[in-house]
Amino acid sequence: MRPTDIGNPDYFHQVVDCQWACPAHTPVPEYIRLIAAGRHDDAYMVNWVSNVFPGILGRTCDRPCEPACRRGRVEENNGEKPEPVAICRLKRVCADHKQDVRARMPKIAARNGFRIACVGAGPSALTVARDLAPLGYQLTIFDADPKAGGFMRTQVPRFRLPEAVIDEETGYVLDLGVEFRSATRIDSLKDLLAQGYDAVFIGSGAPRGRNLDLPGRSEAAANIHLGIDWLASVSFQHIDKIGRRVIVLGGGNTAMDCCRTARRLGGEDVKVIVRSGFAEMKASPWEKEDAQHEGIPILNYLVPKSFEHDQGRLTGMHFEKVRAELDAKGRRTLVPTGEPLLLVECDDVLIAVGQENAFPFIERDIGIEFDEWNMPVVDKVTLQSTLPKVFFGGDAAFGPKNIIWAVAHGHEAAISIDRMLAALDIHQRPAPTVNLLSQKMGIHEWVYDNEVARDERYSVPWAAKELTLKSVKVEVELGFDLATAIKEASRCLNCDVQTVFSREVCIECDACVDICPMDCISFTLNGDEATLRQTLTAPALNLSQSLYVSDLVKTGRVMVKDEDVCLHCGLCAERCPTGAWDMQKFLIEMTHAGTGCGGGHTQRKAA
Amino acid sequence: MFCGTAIGMASSASVNSTSTIACKIALIAPAGANLGNPMTYLAKPKLHHPSLTQNKVCHNRRDYEGRISSLCAGCGHDSISAAIIQACFEMDVEPHRVAKLSGIGCSSKTPDYFLGNSHGFNTVHGRMPSVLTGANLANRGLLYLGVSGDGDSASIGIGQFAHVMRRGVNMTYIVENNGVYGLTKGQFSATADQGSKSKKGAINTDTPIDMISLALQMGASFVARSFSGDKQQLVPLIKAAIAHQGAAFIDVISPCVTFNNHPGSTKSYDYVREHNEAVNRVDFIPPRAEIVVDYAEGEVVEVEQHDGSVLLLRKAHGAHDVHDRIAAMNYVATHQAKGEVLTGLLYVDDEAVDLHHHLNTIDAPLFSLGVAELCPGPAVLAKINAGLR
Ligand SMILES: Cc1cc2nc3c(=O)[nH]c(=O)nc-3n(C[C@H](O)[C@H](O)[C@H](O)COP(=O)(O)OP(=O)(O)OC[C@H]3O[C@@H](n4cnc5c(N)ncnc54)[C@H](O)[C@@H]3O)c2cc1C
Ligand SMILES: Cc1ncc(C[n+]2csc(CCOP(=O)(O)OP(=O)(O)O)c2C)c(N)n1
Ligand code: SF4
Ligand code: SF4
Ligand SMILES: [Mg+2]
């Protein structure tokens, strides 16, 4: 193998599994250490810079970082149940415990003359505004709803996300001199463009709930609701009750929010019914657990067949029982078992079987190309549409995802807009800022806490069920208390503190090989990657994790370190007599719109 | 731009071992799991690689570790500890069936850093061999590991060393040879080569003692030399020595990074790597295991030991007959004169017998005998007395 180029920012970035997995590349271990140190304001700002909604995301994020977290891998075969660090819920801790951070919000530069419109006030558009407004751009956000936040406000139920948190965090953005035109639906993009905006960002989401057109659908319509419309109505307090027996159709997160909301509005007998198997459901495991915890059964392998009704009143639904089989091509298919249809009685049905995009306000003759699925053609990197000044992001760009992806799109679109208006090539993306700093303080002392805690993952305490099931407004999760937060934070392995090897000073004494608790380090003859992976001190079978390979050491061998299960404990560096190993903190910050990206307040629109 | 990014770089949080066979002599009960750590170092995290496997006695390799080493970082002795851990794991050794004995010195401290669940005894300087002999006589049922230094064995303890070899005590005796008294800050030991230079620049004028030659002469029945920086060679040698039923001696060159790893030293990492002449490579095949290594005829010598284990010797250097004690002595002396450090298995007696054999002791460990066996009564006494008349 060729020697690893640690000068490439991606190399060490990938070692920080959580940060690499986070669409907005939040410096996770950095903020976790700040929380452990009680520096909640700092931890909050580290988050805010990257992901704009720490308090909201600390309660609702889809947390792609957690399945990626190294902690889960190093605990494998070392205890009962391997679990990642509770990264998401630690984020909430700094949001809960910070002081007033308003003074730390960006200063707003003098207006640069450029005007930018955003359609929708969801997380993607708010991120565009957050990144561009401080640079001097004049932002106008339009939303059909009365308040900002998009689906974070209208879909995510209040028992998961209190109104005050949304007000606070959308407020930090709107306070940056952004004009918010609430309750203003854009009916024609053509008209909007005619108002002379220099760029338009479309963050209108994926607002349409998919219907289930089965026999009885129209006859019993009064008691059959589209999940996302129904959740929005609950959120706007247009709906405050539901029948005693409720069926929720669908296995995604929307279904989970629907069933749990129904439980709080009078649904005593609420069931989730899914076509596929329990394991194949789209909902995150923790969402399923939360629903089950509230006494909501999930019935699987049942395909809905018809709505039953009596004189216009819904009475129940028929389901066909199926089982999963592999077809000739090895694909999973659902095959009827042949048993008689199952009748499930109910008073209301909530349909949560998917969401669709809709762009009724975009004329098809203004230069924005749509594909065969009626989705706008959008560049994956720049988020630009085929009409150069129009950009898409969030659920509107590539279909329904989640908040953190919407934020990531917002950052990228802001960079594109900023560069475009500075007359720079928007396909050229700004490099991140990288800092590599030794953590050595003394022979056995490091700036970071290198002791590896053996604690198992702590769970977040919940308010009593008797309380939470009474109202949609009572928040279920209480958040970690500070003492538990510090213990959970100590489970973090500080994966951003990198093991950096200097082969010039290595004397090949094997001290690092012998001390490494995870058998990560080998000195061996070089070979191709496949061979090396099999012949190291411990086999390196996780192909998604890199091998760190040095140039030749004195005996003509190479040092190979498998990054996979490194604990970042620094013992290699402590045992190295020559300092060939050092622990260096790798801080990588994504460059957002602004001078660093080539645009920013130095540009001024020609009068 | 963002005030929030004004966060500095230094923003990190600163934040059983009970033996089934009780020994009647003073074998210190094993310390058990890592107790608190007096040094500022962290204990080595207990987490291990997910792929770590267990051996036949249900231990993984990490179970053979001891406390975290307090030796200088990079000390060759730590590598030898790692090799002992690896060998004991691979040999399915039951930790409570091992007694580790040592004298004084950095090397003699190392038994604290491996086999944390085994018995241990630190003797006074240079006296490990006699305590080991006594322990072995009292309880022949344990596996004896003598761990010592060149100062401990060649300087102050040379007399004891000679006798333990002469007597053929069944043990694995490892000298961690760095040519200096590491613990007392680097004075030349009796194995330092004539003409070699100390860290401060002094030249050693005394004739060195070659532990290998001495062991051969004193009658050790398994004699090998290795290098702490070559575990591939060292681990199988330790395994073979453990299987050997007699006095097994391994001289392991083990650089002292702090006091004897400079130019002018003949025990430094660089010097040993440059002058290392491996006589052979040993593959250790446990008793009854199938020999699957294939080799061209004449290239490999098979040596079967008493316990049925087989040593496959791949010859690397000249034609040396490992069964010939006198040839081995000549061989070692010739290469030494050329400034070469011969490593590998140098001599083995596959018919070796040990002290218990010489003394014709019974198979049961002596400590297990009760009053009835030890004091058989007046009738037996009378018979013995009659025999002496
Ligand atoms: C029930 C449910 C629960 C969810 N829970 C989570 C969760 O826990 N965690 C998570 O990460 N994600 C969750 N999501 C997904 C998440 O809410 C979305 O992915 C995210 O909000 C998308 O952001 P966005 O910027 O694309 O805009 P959206 O949040 O979708 O907002 C779009 C906004 O645009 C407005 N708009 C649309 N058209 C126009 C127009 N023509 N004129 C003016 N305004 C317009 C809408 O009123 C809306 O306010 C959930 C989704 C649903 C349906
Ligand atoms: C009777 C006695 N004399 C002298 C000493 C001082 N002393 C302690 S260790 C040591 C030498 C150890 O050398 P070696 O066995 O080579 O061990 P190393 O530290 O080099 O591994 C000496 C002379 C002592 N402890 N006891
Ligand atoms: S252990 Fe910490 S730094 Fe490593 S992936 Fe998990 S949260 Fe991130
Ligand atoms: S002084 Fe020498 S022998 Fe002793 S621990 Fe340090 S390096 Fe090892
Ligand atoms: Mg010594």
Side-chain angles (χ1 to χ4, degrees), chain A residues 15-19 28-30 32-33 65-66 68-73 84-87 489 491-496 568:
Chain A
V15 175
V16 198
D17 292 296
C18 49
Q19 187 173 4
V28 174
E30 178 75 357
I32 291 183
R33 280 189 299 270
C65 53
E66 292 192 15
C69 172
R70 171 166 284 111
R71 182 84 201 187
R73 298 199 301 278
V85 174
I87 301 173
R491 293 180 69 239
C492 173
L493 300 169
N494 303 285
C495 301
D496 59 341
H568 298 256

Coordinates of all heavy atoms in Angstrom, one line a residue, chain A residues 15-19 28-30 32-33 65-66 68-73 84-87 489 491-496 568, ligand 3:
Chain A
V15 N -11.9 9.4 10.3 CA -11.7 8.7 11.6 C -12.7 9.2 12.6 O -13.0 8.5 13.5 CB -10.2 8.9 12.0 CG1 -10.0 8.3 13.4 CG2 -9.3 8.3 11.0
V16 N -13.1 10.5 12.5 CA -14.1 11.0 13.4 C -15.4 10.6 12.9 O -16.2 11.3 12.2 CB -14.0 12.6 13.5 CG1 -14.7 13.0 14.8 CG2 -12.5 13.0 13.5
D17 N -15.8 9.3 13.1 CA -16.9 8.7 12.5 C -18.2 9.5 12.6 O -18.9 9.7 11.6 CB -17.2 7.4 13.2 CG -16.1 6.3 12.9 OD1 -15.9 6.0 11.7 OD2 -15.5 5.9 13.8
C18 N -18.5 10.1 13.8 CA -19.7 10.8 14.0 C -19.8 12.1 13.1 O -20.7 12.4 12.5 CB -19.9 11.2 15.5 SG -18.3 11.9 16.1
Q19 N -18.6 12.8 13.1 CA -18.6 14.1 12.4 C -18.7 13.8 10.9 O -19.3 14.6 10.2 CB -17.3 14.8 12.7 CG -17.3 16.2 12.1 CD -16.1 17.1 12.6 OE1 -15.2 16.6 13.3 NE2 -16.0 18.3 12.2
V28 N -18.5 16.8 16.7 CA -19.2 16.2 17.8 C -18.3 16.0 19.1 O -18.6 16.5 20.2 CB -19.7 14.8 17.4 CG1 -20.3 14.0 18.6 CG2 -20.8 15.0 16.3
P29 N -17.1 15.4 18.9 CA -16.3 15.2 20.2 C -15.9 16.5 20.8 O -15.8 16.6 22.0 CB -15.1 14.4 19.7 CG -15.1 14.4 18.2 CD -16.5 14.8 17.8
E30 N -15.7 17.5 20.0 CA -15.4 18.9 20.5 C -16.5 19.3 21.4 O -16.3 19.8 22.5 CB -15.2 19.8 19.3 CG -14.9 21.3 19.7 CD -13.4 21.4 20.2 OE1 -12.7 20.4 20.3 OE2 -13.1 22.6 20.6
I32 N -18.8 17.5 22.8 CA -19.0 16.6 24.0 C -18.0 17.0 25.1 O -18.4 17.0 26.3 CB -18.9 15.2 23.5 CG1 -20.1 14.8 22.6 CG2 -18.8 14.2 24.7 CD1 -20.2 13.4 22.2
R33 N -16.8 17.2 24.7 CA -15.8 17.6 25.7 C -16.2 18.9 26.4 O -16.1 19.1 27.6 CB -14.4 17.8 25.1 CG -13.7 16.5 24.9 CD -12.2 16.8 24.5 NE -12.1 17.6 23.2 CZ -12.1 17.1 22.0 NH1 -12.1 15.8 21.9 NH2 -12.0 17.8 21.0
C65 N -25.2 10.1 13.0 CA -23.9 10.0 13.7 C -23.9 8.7 14.6 O -22.8 8.1 14.8 CB -23.6 11.2 14.5 SG -25.0 11.6 15.7
E66 N -25.0 8.4 15.2 CA -24.9 7.3 16.2 C -24.6 5.9 15.7 O -23.8 5.2 16.2 CB -26.2 7.4 17.1 CG -26.1 8.7 18.0 CD -27.2 8.7 19.1 OE1 -27.7 7.6 19.5 OE2 -27.4 9.8 19.6
A68 N -22.9 5.4 13.3 CA -21.5 5.4 12.8 C -20.5 5.4 14.0 O -19.4 5.1 13.8 CB -21.3 6.7 12.0
C69 N -21.0 5.8 15.2 CA -20.1 6.0 16.3 C -19.2 4.8 16.6 O -19.7 3.7 16.7 CB -21.0 6.4 17.5 SG -20.0 6.5 19.1
R70 N -17.9 5.1 16.8 CA -17.0 4.1 17.1 C -17.3 3.3 18.4 O -17.0 2.1 18.5 CB -15.6 4.7 17.2 CG -14.5 3.8 17.6 CD -13.1 4.4 17.4 NE -12.7 4.2 16.0 CZ -12.6 5.3 15.1 NH1 -12.8 6.5 15.6 NH2 -12.4 5.1 13.9
R71 N -17.9 4.0 19.3 CA -18.1 3.4 20.6 C -18.9 2.1 20.5 O -18.7 1.1 21.2 CB -18.9 4.4 21.5 CG -19.2 3.9 22.9 CD -18.1 4.1 23.9 NE -18.2 3.2 25.0 CZ -17.3 3.3 26.1 NH1 -16.4 4.2 26.1 NH2 -17.5 2.4 27.0
G72 N -19.9 2.1 19.5 CA -20.6 0.9 19.3 C -19.8 -0.3 18.8 O -20.0 -1.4 19.2
R73 N -18.7 0.0 18.0 CA -17.9 -1.0 17.5 C -16.9 -1.5 18.6 O -16.7 -2.7 18.7 CB -17.1 -0.5 16.3 CG -17.9 -0.1 15.2 CD -17.1 -0.1 13.9 NE -16.0 0.8 13.9 CZ -16.1 2.1 13.6 NH1 -17.3 2.7 13.4 NH2 -15.0 2.9 13.7
P84 N -23.7 3.1 20.8 CA -23.0 4.3 20.6 C -23.2 5.3 21.7 O -24.0 5.2 22.6 CB -23.7 4.9 19.3 CG -25.0 4.3 19.3 CD -24.9 3.0 20.0
V85 N -22.4 6.4 21.7 CA -22.5 7.5 22.6 C -23.9 8.2 22.3 O -24.3 8.2 21.1 CB -21.4 8.5 22.4 CG1 -21.6 9.7 23.3 CG2 -20.0 7.9 22.8
A86 N -24.6 8.6 23.3 CA -25.9 9.3 23.1 C -25.6 10.7 22.6 O -25.9 11.7 23.3 CB -26.7 9.3 24.4
I87 N -25.0 10.8 21.4 CA -24.6 12.1 20.8 C -25.7 13.1 20.8 O -25.6 14.2 21.2 CB -24.0 11.8 19.4 CG1 -22.9 10.8 19.4 CG2 -23.6 13.2 18.8 CD1 -22.4 10.4 18.1
A489 N -21.0 11.7 28.6 CA -19.9 12.4 27.8 C -18.6 11.6 27.9 O -17.8 11.5 26.9 CB -19.8 13.8 28.2
R491 N -18.1 8.6 27.9 CA -18.1 7.4 27.0 C -17.5 7.7 25.7 O -17.1 6.9 24.9 CB -19.5 6.8 26.8 CG -20.1 6.2 28.1 CD -21.4 5.6 27.9 NE -21.4 4.5 27.0 CZ -22.0 4.3 25.9 NH1 -22.7 5.3 25.4 NH2 -21.9 3.2 25.2
C492 N -17.5 9.0 25.3 CA -17.0 9.4 24.0 C -15.5 9.2 24.0 O -14.8 9.4 25.0 CB -17.2 10.9 23.8 SG -16.4 11.5 22.3
L493 N -15.0 8.6 22.9 CA -13.6 8.2 22.8 C -12.7 9.3 22.3 O -11.5 9.1 22.1 CB -13.5 7.0 21.9 CG -14.3 5.8 22.3 CD1 -14.3 4.7 21.2 CD2 -13.7 5.2 23.6
N494 N -13.2 10.5 22.0 CA -12.4 11.6 21.5 C -11.7 11.2 20.2 O -10.5 11.3 20.0 CB -11.3 12.0 22.5 CG -11.9 12.4 23.8 OD1 -12.4 13.5 23.9 ND2 -11.8 11.6 24.8
C495 N -12.5 10.7 19.3 CA -12.0 10.2 18.0 C -11.3 11.3 17.2 O -10.6 11.0 16.2 CB -13.1 9.5 17.2 SG -13.8 8.2 18.0
D496 N -11.5 12.5 17.6 CA -10.8 13.6 16.8 C -9.4 13.8 17.3 O -8.6 14.5 16.7 CB -11.6 14.9 16.9 CG -11.8 15.4 18.4 OD1 -11.7 14.6 19.3 OD2 -12.1 16.6 18.6
H568 N -8.4 5.8 21.0 CA -7.8 7.1 21.1 C -7.4 7.4 22.5 O -7.5 8.5 23.0 CB -8.8 8.2 20.6 CG -9.1 8.0 19.1 ND1 -8.5 8.8 18.1 CD2 -9.8 7.0 18.4 CE1 -8.9 8.3 16.9 NE2 -9.7 7.3 17.1
Ligands
SF4_3 S1 -16.9 7.9 20.4 FE1 -17.3 10.1 20.4 S2 -15.9 11.0 18.8 FE2 -16.0 8.7 18.5 S3 -17.7 8.5 17.0 FE3 -18.6 8.3 19.0 S4 -19.3 10.4 19.6 FE4 -17.9 10.5 17.8

